[in-house]
Amino acid sequence: MRGTLLANRRGIQRFRQIAITAVKSSNIKFLLFCCIALTLVMAATRASDFMGWTNPSDSLDQFLPPGKGYAIVMNTWKRYDLLKQSISHYSSCPGLESIHIVWSEPNPPSDSLSKFLNHVIESKTKGMKKVELSFDINTEDSLNNRFKEIPGLKTDAVFSIDDDVIFPCSSVEFAFKVWQSAPDAMVGFVPRAHWVDKTVGTYSMVLSKAAFFHKKYLRMYTNEMPVSIKAFVTKNRNCEDIAMSFLVANATGAPPIWVKGKRSILL
């Protein structure tokens, strides 16, 4: 009888141990499930940011500290009305710190043009911040000029844009936020594919006519781009954007990031 009771007690204790272990295991599994679920949610949110599916209206609503914003590098050629419209538009973007106009015309910019653009910038910013304007004068007419290194550039971020392309400031600020999360990547609005097979249906580059990239790539393009490629760009007046895209891809070993935005073409 005593042996039976002892056996029953041992059985009950064993059952309790099994039950406690099962509860602990269940709790651990539940915690693991929560961790995995949270990780997946965060990854999905991060992926959507990179691919441009989140709402771009959630943009910077305050001016950034000096050096933490971005510089616009704008290529232009004898289209002064378009240049004025573009400068007027982008001057009101919150993250903008400086504008560098790539000037490759035979004659320097007129005083009247310079005064007009400075007045536009001042009126758009309403004295709340200082946006520097400069003309980067070039003696040679070449599309390579748009990627020349800019001495003394204060921001790491460069927004390369053509003078006839307009994106809302909310889209630009959103793309800037994406770039901040991946500063070595090229983040742009205009995707292209170099695949021979057009059925692949994806993109492999973004064009520099509307793209963010780190200022170090201006130095690399100026000093490390093969002479033969730059000669081809100068001769054919084309493909400088493809050359820059490949330079960034070669340096990072990573693909570019395409963000979506509503584009307007100035006429």
Side-chain angles (χ1 to χ4, degrees):
M1 181 70 176
R2 185 175 182 180
T4 303
L5 291 174
L6 181 61
N8 289 338
R9 288 178 181 176
R10 289 178 178 176
I12 293 172
Q13 290 177 353
R14 179 60 179 167
F15 176 79
R16 287 177 177 175
Q17 290 177 351
I18 293 174
I20 292 171
T21 302
V23 170
K24 289 182 178 179
S25 177
S26 177
N27 289 339
I28 292 173
K29 289 180 179 179
F30 178 74
L31 290 175
L32 287 174
F33 172 79
C34 291
C35 290
I36 293 172
L38 180 60
T39 302
L40 290 174
V41 170
M42 293 177 64
T45 303
R46 186 174 178 85
S48 66
D49 285 344
F50 274 95
M51 294 304 295
W53 279 287
T54 56
N55 189 350
S57 62
D58 182 21
S59 60
L60 299 178
D61 54 1
Q62 296 179 347
F63 297 131
L64 297 171
K68 299 300 183 180
Y70 54 87
I72 280 182
V73 176
M74 184 176 293
N75 194 51
T76 188
W77 176 262
K78 294 185 176 181
R79 301 191 293 189
Y80 308 134
D81 289 339
L82 301 185
L83 179 62
K84 292 176 181 178
Q85 292 181 60
S86 291
I87 297 299
S88 177
H89 169 72
Y90 289 112
S91 295
S92 60
C93 294
L96 178 64
E97 289 197 24
S98 62
I99 300 174
H100 303 264
I101 300 174
V102 181
W103 193 271
S104 302
E105 298 181 19
N107 298 318
S110 64
D111 291 339
S112 60
L113 177 62
S114 180
K115 290 180 180 179
F116 178 87
L117 295 180
N118 276 292
H119 174 72
V120 166
I121 292 173
E122 186 176 354
S123 64
K124 286 290 185 178
T125 57
K126 300 178 181 178
M128 297 180 66
K129 64 172 182 174
K130 176 66 175 178
V131 175
E132 299 179 1
L133 173 69
S134 65
F135 289 87
D136 298 338
I137 309 297
N138 299 280
T139 56
E140 180 187 15
D141 177 18
S142 172
L143 287 176
N144 291 307
N145 294 337
R146 72 183 303 166
F147 299 134
K148 276 189 175 181
E149 185 176 10
I150 302 175
L153 187 59
K154 297 178 182 178
T155 63
D156 288 336
V158 172
F159 183 47
S160 175
I161 189 76
D162 283 353
D163 60 0
D164 62 342
V165 178
I166 293 290
F167 282 94
C169 283
S170 59
S171 296
V172 175
E173 299 298 319
F174 171 68
F176 177 51
K177 289 173 66 177
V178 175
W179 177 85
Q180 287 178 306
S181 67
D184 286 332
M186 197 168 182
V187 178
F189 292 100
V190 186
R192 291 291 186 270
H194 69 278
W195 316 116
V196 176
D197 184 4
K198 296 182 178 180
T199 62
V200 174
T202 186
Y203 71 98
S204 58
M205 68 181 79
V206 292
L207 300 185
S208 58
K209 66 188 307 176
F212 277 96
F213 52 80
H214 197 283
K215 66 179 180 181
K216 65 185 176 182
Y217 296 123
L218 296 177
R219 173 184 53 79
M220 294 175 64
Y221 190 100
T222 301
N223 301 318
E224 301 177 22
M225 181 65 71
V227 175
S228 59
I229 293 179
K230 290 199 282 189
F232 179 91
V233 168
T234 299
K235 179 181 179 181
N236 294 276
R237 299 190 61 81
N238 205 346
C239 298
E240 84 287 353
D241 46 2
I242 297 177
M244 174 56 91
S245 183
F246 280 11
L247 181 147
V248 176
N250 183 66
T252 62
I257 301 173
W258 168 39
V259 293
K260 297 179 180 181
K262 185 176 180 180
R263 177 176 57 168
S264 299
I265 303 295
L266 299 179
L267 301 174

